[in-house]
Amino acid sequence: MRRERLQQATVAAAALLTYANSLANRFAVDDDFIIVYNPRVHELADQAAIWLTPYWPAYGEQLGLYRPLAIFAYAVQWAAGGGAPWLFHLVSVLLHAGVSLLVLALLRRVGLAAGALFGALLFAVHPVHTEVVANVVGQAELLAALAVVGACVVYAARPPDRALTRARTLVLLLLFALGLLAKEGAIVLPALLVAIDAAQGRIGRGAGGRLRAPGLFGTLAGLGAVAAGWFLLRQRVLGSVVGSDAAPWLPFLRSDDRIWSALRVWPEYLRLMVFPVDLSADYSPGVLLPADGPSAVVVLGGALLVAVTALAVLTPRRPNAGLPAAWFLISVLPVSNLLFPIGVLMAERLLYLPSVALALAGAALVAHARVVIAPVQRQTAAAIAVLVIVLLGARTVIRNPDWRDSAAYYHALLRDHPESYRAQWGEAARRLSHGDRAGAHTAMALAWRIWPHDPQLLNEFALLHIWDHAYARAVPLLEQSTGLNDRARHVWINLSYVYLGVGRGADAEAAAQRAAALGANRSETGALTAQSFELRARWQDALQAWQATVAVETGRTWTYWSALARALARADRPADAVAAADTARLLAPETGAGQVDALRAAIALGCYAGAMVSKNAECADPLADWAIITAVNALPPDVTAGETARAPSQGSTHDAASSPAPAARPGGAGRS
């Protein structure tokens, strides 16, 4: 018992010390949109919003992610610490230490006590876990792993040839439910329990050749009932079980070539497990490119899959080799893109639960070495084992600051993998935030050349052209963006905007209507629709659209009221036009007051009679320089102060759940 407690203290200390420097990290990338800007996390009292909504604040149904326990945990931490990042990071480190202790317990329960300390230390300090522990949203992985590994410990600890007691069964079912509510990957628990039974010799043939597995089938039936309830809940919240489009920015994962790409990743799994030197904050195209057919690396990946599967089948006869293979195969399959597409091709965070297999393999290796290595050589072997743990831990400590904040994340990605399109995308955001428009264009163009299939990247590249008034260049980018993901309402808003810029009024109207159907702001879509009518000289339709726009609460802006005043004047309703101009004057900031006064004077002179500005030399249209009218009098970079049009909706990372933040500022990268 004393030795077991000493091992527990060693593993806990290793986990805590290895990740201690992550406590200085702030919020980074997806943390911003899942936690910092997410109202559900800030309203702990609103339990319905926490438990009955998709994980991502926008397009959650499309992406198919439902993790209410993670959102609840974030809300509790936000309330407890007032949003302080250090508390979130402390919880993450403690959760990882807890999972590491459970891994130690599991190794002892499955007959690997001789190597349990080494195996658990491998798990505690391995650098592939940095993304999960050092980035706050990794808590979804941590919570799910805590539940799954904990359930495996409970299951493996029962006496031989005995079914689970009622109390243990209830604990197992509860842990399964909590794991599923934390992250979808917990669905693998039933298969892991079968593998554990096979490794412990509980599955065999009894009298008459009948299959003997004490308590297994009853346990699986209970777990199946929990899973069925979870699937029904997902159906209610998401409208489907898996979501309508898990990865709009990776279209190859929805094509016939998905399996080739999935196999291409298997050598990366092996490399990251046994030689984690070259690591990446992101494995999007550029770092890993999709495969469209057999190649050397695809064949190698297929061979690894076959080898792991063959070892897994040997679990009943060779448990020390079979159980690690079975654990890895079972836990990685749902995130491998082999069964169905997920939101990424590969990511280190997806290897958190599968890496328990490395702990099992490491423990088995040490247990075997204690038998075959001569006593005189054991000290050397022990020194090598310690060196491995120290080197892995040092790599993790060095890497933790890469998640200090979003800027550090993109800096690390650019430093390690400049060939990544996300690295260049993030560099474009950084340059733009420093006022380097030319540099932003260069970096964004490079990102686009590397991977021209990300709808949010296309949107933000188009925004750079919009700010340069190069509307014609923005049109094909936005059309391709909506072709890849036709549910991003902010992109439809932008497309309507540029259609106005190139004089395509009917297309602008159609795009605005599509945005409205997706739930876009009615005042913004109304303003775009009104201007599409004006472009086609449909003055009465434009007037009605402006009236509907200002009737919306968000439409009560001075720019919209000014446009309504002009539309009323064109309809030969000068009194109403003056009244609308007076409302605009009340709402206008000091910088806009003069323009509204000029508009009111033009109306009084009858300059809009006959639906056109009069030829009278004294008449001028004060709104003529406004170009495309939007709700906010906010100027894009380097636009002259006399222009009141602005760039359209930049959207946000959580809208697409895939990208670096809008080009206007650095920030997150939505992930699965």
Side-chain angles (χ1 to χ4, degrees), residues 407 411 414 425-436 663 665-666:
H411 173 75
L414 186 66
W425 190 355
E427 177 65 5
R430 187 191 70 81
R431 288 180 176 274
L432 192 61
S433 69
H434 288 81
D436 182 4
R665 62 177 181 79

Side-chain angles (χ1 to χ4, degrees), residues 310-327:
L311 283 174
V313 171
L314 292 176
T315 299
R317 288 182 291 172
R318 297 286 187 271
N320 285 359
L323 183 57
W327 185 289

Side-chain angles (χ1 to χ4, degrees), residues 250-271:
L250 298 176
F252 63 87
L253 291 180
R254 300 187 302 279
S255 72
D256 295 337
D257 295 329
R258 172 171 58 86
I259 301 302
W260 302 120
S261 295
L263 291 175
R264 184 260 175 273
V265 173
W266 275 73
E268 296 296 323
Y269 294 155
L270 178 63
R271 180 185 66 80

Side-chain angles (χ1 to χ4, degrees), residues 320-400:
N320 285 359
L323 183 57
W327 185 289
F328 187 83
L329 180 67
I330 291 167
S331 56
V332 86
L333 274 178
V335 294
S336 68
N337 289 293
L338 284 170
L339 303 181
F340 45 79
I342 64 169
V344 293
L345 178 58
M346 205 277 284
E348 291 169 18
R349 63 186 174 277
L350 302 180
L351 294 177
Y352 190 77
L353 184 60
S355 69
V356 174
L358 181 65
L360 289 163
L365 179 63
V366 170
H368 179 70
R370 289 171 66 91
V371 175
V372 301
I373 293 180
V376 70
Q377 297 174 321
R378 289 179 183 174
Q379 189 172 5
T380 301
I384 293 173
V386 171
L387 179 62
V388 168
I389 298 299
V390 170
L391 290 176
L392 290 174
R395 181 72 178 95
T396 301
V397 171
I398 292 171
R399 194 158 186 249
N400 287 334

Side-chain angles (χ1 to χ4, degrees), residues 20-169:
N21 65 331
S22 71
L23 298 178
N25 288 359
R26 298 184 285 275
F27 295 115
V29 288
D30 286 1
D31 295 347
D32 289 338
F33 303 106
I34 295 297
I35 297 172
V36 179
Y37 306 134
N38 190 351
R40 291 174 299 163
V41 171
H42 306 162
E43 296 293 339
L44 183 58
D46 192 353
Q47 292 294 303
I50 290 173
W51 293 96
L52 297 175
T53 56
Y55 182 63
W56 278 96
Y59 304 105
E61 294 179 3
Q62 176 183 359
L63 299 170
L65 302 183
Y66 174 59
R67 302 167 185 171
L69 182 60
I71 296 295
F72 176 72
Y74 302 146
V76 170
Q77 293 167 74
W78 186 276
W86 70 266
L87 179 60
F88 287 86
H89 288 290
L90 176 61
V91 170
S92 293
V93 173
L94 292 176
L95 286 172
H96 175 62
V99 177
S100 300
L101 289 172
L102 287 173
V103 170
L104 175 67
L106 178 64
L107 297 176
R108 298 180 67 88
R109 300 299 187 276
V110 297
L112 295 172
L117 177 60
F118 178 72
L121 286 173
L122 274 179
F123 184 88
V125 306
H126 203 287
V128 81
H129 299 156
T130 307
E131 180 180 6
V132 170
V133 185
N135 190 208
V136 174
V137 292
Q139 285 187 19
E141 295 279 359
L142 292 165
L143 290 168
L146 194 72
V148 169
V149 181
C152 289
V153 171
V154 170
Y155 190 76
R158 74 190 196 279
D161 297 320
R162 296 275 184 89
L164 284 175
T165 64
R166 181 175 298 179
R168 284 179 181 266
T169 299

Side-chain angles (χ1 to χ4, degrees), residues 418-508:
E419 75 277 16
S420 165
Y421 89 96
R422 288 185 181 276
Q424 297 301 329
W425 190 355
E427 177 65 5
R430 187 191 70 81
R431 288 180 176 274
L432 192 61
S433 69
H434 288 81
D436 182 4
R437 293 275 295 281
H441 266 282
T442 300
M444 190 70 85
L446 180 54
W448 175 68
R449 285 196 295 271
I450 293 171
W451 190 245
H453 307 294
D454 189 313
Q456 184 67 0
L457 171 69
L458 293 165
N459 174 61
E460 294 179 12
F461 194 16
L463 282 173
L464 291 179
H465 292 306
I466 291 170
W467 287 343
D468 291 337
H469 304 282
Y471 301 124
R473 293 184 180 180
V475 168
L477 294 170
L478 292 171
E479 288 178 338
Q480 185 182 357
S481 179
T482 56
L484 290 167
N485 179 18
D486 68 351
R487 299 183 61 183
R489 54 181 177 263
H490 64 283
V491 181
W492 284 104
I493 289 287
N494 294 347
L495 184 56
S496 178
Y497 186 99
V498 297
Y499 279 151
L500 290 175
V502 296
R504 293 168 59 177
D507 291 333

